[in-house]
């Protein structure tokens, strides 16, 4: 059981927008999709939703191909906030449309959330503040009962209070109802608190797929200053650079070991310090160029 993207590629003209994308998502899991602006995150989400037809690849839900059974799309929720055709309707009218589309729509849950978060029923969506729109989008998503939910920048423009409410809805839905969530956000600090996995897109393809709990148990972020200006070869070969400022090097060892630590200590560094490892560190290390640990000679 699960949701899978297999070998999905998309071109515009001769330019690869997405290339051989493979992602799996299981119920009860929150996966973060991160990357710089223009890397193809929204294109991927629109391809999943069927707004774009990929050049190659397809999507499976519970081991069945969507292209062979379009009714499977009822198991997916994606709201394209950039092209929202319902923004002239009230939120209750929008809920009516989605109740027709999703047999699993839970009207009682929807009503309870509308009351709890004081969402004005007769106000048109476009008249809501950005934060209220964001909160309603989450309420709508998890009222549908769709087991797999795709969220594109749902934290954008939310204040601290609304963000906390959004987090609570997502966490409860995932833990209690075993929903699977694929979410993109530029707010890596907030995303770090929410996701189980982080998938990094760069240059149209996936460059990293981190299971955060496993990564943090195996990896180390280390700040180093070597007496020589040259960074030792074993450091270059076994790490990704997060930052280099003069002779101060901050690197990520994805598979840290006692042997690596012994090699570092054998160099008698002027500074050796382990630092907390964040999602931003993993992102920066993933998109860094290969030469980033070459340092200054």
């Amino acid at each position: 059981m699960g949701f899978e993207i297999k070998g999905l590629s998309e071109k515009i003209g001769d330019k690869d927008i997405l290339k051989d994308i493979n992602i799996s998502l299981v119920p009860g899991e929150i996966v973060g999709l991160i990357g710089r602006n223009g890397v193809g995150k929204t294109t991927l989400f629109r391809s999943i939703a069927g707004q774009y037809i990929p050049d190659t690849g397809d999507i499976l839900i519970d081991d069945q191909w969507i292209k062979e059974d379009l009714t499977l799309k009822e198991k997916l929720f994606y709201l394209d906030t950039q092209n929202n055709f319902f923004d002239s309707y009230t939120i209750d009218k929008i809920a009516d449309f989605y109740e027709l589309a999703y047999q699993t729509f839970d009207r009682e849950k929807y009503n309870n959330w509308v009351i709890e978060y004081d969402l004005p029923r007769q106000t048109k969506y476009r008249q809501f503040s950005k934060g209220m729109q964001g909160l309603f989008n989450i309420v709508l998503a998890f009222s549908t009962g769709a087991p797999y939910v795709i969220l594109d920048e749902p934290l954008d423009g939310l204040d601290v209070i609304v963000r906390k409410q959004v987090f609570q809805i997502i966490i409860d839905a995932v833990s209690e109802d075993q929903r699977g969530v694929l979410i993109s956000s530029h707010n890596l600090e907030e995303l770090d608190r929410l996701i189980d996995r982080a998938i990094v897109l760069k240059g149209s393809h996936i460059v990293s797929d981190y299971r955060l709990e496993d990564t943090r148990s195996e990896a180390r972020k280390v700040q180093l200053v070597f007496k020589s200006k040259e960074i030792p070869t074993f450091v270059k070969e076994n790490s990704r650079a997060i930052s280099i400022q003069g002779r101060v090097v901050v690197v990520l060892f994805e598979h840290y070991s006692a042997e690596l630590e012994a090699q570092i200590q054998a160099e008698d560094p002027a500074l050796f310090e382990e630092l907390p490892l964040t999602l931003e560190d993993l992102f920066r290390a993933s998109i860094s160029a290969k030469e980033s640990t070459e340092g200054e000679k």
Side-chain angles (χ1 to χ4, degrees):
M1 301 290 285
F3 165 84
E4 291 183 81
I5 302 168
K6 288 199 168 183
L8 190 147
S9 297
E10 180 82 38
K11 280 188 174 184
I12 295 179
D14 294 330
K15 182 180 179 181
D16 287 315
I17 305 301
L18 298 168
K19 189 172 182 180
D20 195 27
I21 301 298
N22 295 278
I23 296 175
S24 63
L25 175 67
V26 298
E29 180 181 45
I30 306 176
V31 176
L33 183 69
I34 59 179
R36 301 182 71 178
N37 287 336
V39 78
K41 300 186 296 296
T42 298
T43 297
L44 176 59
F45 288 165
R46 289 174 177 172
S47 297
I48 293 170
Q51 295 180 27
Y52 298 156
I53 299 174
D55 297 312
T56 62
D58 206 348
I59 298 159
L60 289 90
I61 295 181
D62 300 337
D63 298 321
Q64 300 178 69
W65 296 101
I66 278 187
K67 65 183 177 183
E68 295 177 358
D69 185 357
L70 295 180
T71 63
L72 291 168
K73 288 191 174 182
E74 192 176 334
K75 295 190 175 185
L76 275 174
F77 175 92
Y78 170 63
L79 180 61
D80 189 340
T81 56
Q82 296 179 37
N83 294 299
N84 188 348
F85 301 107
F86 298 116
D87 64 357
S88 62
Y89 293 96
T90 65
I91 62 170
D92 275 359
K93 190 62 178 178
I94 294 172
D96 290 342
F97 290 134
Y98 277 85
E99 189 170 15
L100 291 173
Y102 289 89
Q103 296 181 49
T104 53
F105 194 97
D106 191 330
R107 195 77 188 202
E108 181 180 0
K109 181 175 287 187
Y110 167 82
N111 286 329
N112 289 341
W113 274 330
V114 167
I115 294 168
E116 180 179 355
Y117 298 120
D118 197 25
L119 294 171
R121 293 178 178 274
Q122 299 309 313
T123 300
K124 293 179 179 179
Y125 179 90
R126 68 186 178 195
Q127 295 173 322
F128 278 18
S129 67
K130 193 167 187 179
M132 293 292 277
Q133 288 179 352
L135 181 56
F136 171 71
N137 294 343
I138 297 297
V139 165
L140 185 65
F142 291 103
S143 296
T144 63
Y148 306 105
V149 176
I150 314 298
L151 301 173
D152 193 1
E153 295 290 340
L155 307 178
D156 188 28
L158 306 188
D159 64 33
V160 174
I161 301 302
V162 175
R163 198 180 302 140
K164 184 177 180 181
Q165 294 167 336
V166 165
F167 269 42
Q168 195 59 57
I169 294 173
I170 295 173
I171 291 169
D172 289 347
V174 171
S175 60
E176 295 172 10
D177 301 329
Q178 289 297 288
R179 307 290 181 84
V181 177
L182 180 61
I183 178 173
S184 72
S185 177
H186 287 102
N187 193 330
L188 299 187
E189 183 178 352
E190 294 288 358
L191 203 62
D192 202 350
R193 298 166 42 207
L194 185 67
I195 63 176
D196 304 298
R197 285 170 55 207
I199 293 174
V200 182
L201 274 178
K202 177 189 176 185
S204 78
H205 63 281
I206 293 172
V207 292
S208 297
D209 186 344
Y210 296 107
R211 293 188 178 274
L212 297 186
E213 185 175 348
D214 293 342
T215 297
R216 288 193 168 106
S217 68
E218 297 177 8
R220 295 292 184 275
K221 175 186 175 183
V222 181
Q223 182 172 245
L224 297 162
V225 175
F226 293 102
K227 293 178 179 178
S228 168
K229 292 183 179 180
E230 176 68 25
I231 299 174
T233 300
F234 74 88
V235 173
K236 298 176 186 177
E237 292 176 347
N238 291 281
S239 71
R240 297 188 187 190
I242 294 173
S243 69
I244 299 175
Q245 295 182 345
R247 290 169 61 187
V248 180
V249 182
V250 179
V251 294
L252 169 67
F253 292 99
E254 291 190 12
H255 303 286
Y256 197 68
S257 65
E259 180 183 357
L260 271 173
E261 183 168 347
Q263 286 181 284
I264 293 171
Q265 296 296 351
E267 296 288 332
D268 192 21
L271 174 66
F272 172 83
E273 181 182 9
E274 288 192 22
L275 303 173
L277 180 59
T278 68
L279 180 59
E280 182 178 343
D281 295 326
L282 296 174
F283 174 61
R284 290 176 64 184
S286 292
I287 66 171
S288 292
K290 283 286 187 180
E291 68 273 10
S292 58
T293 52
E294 292 299 320
E296 296 180 6
K297 306 215 178 154

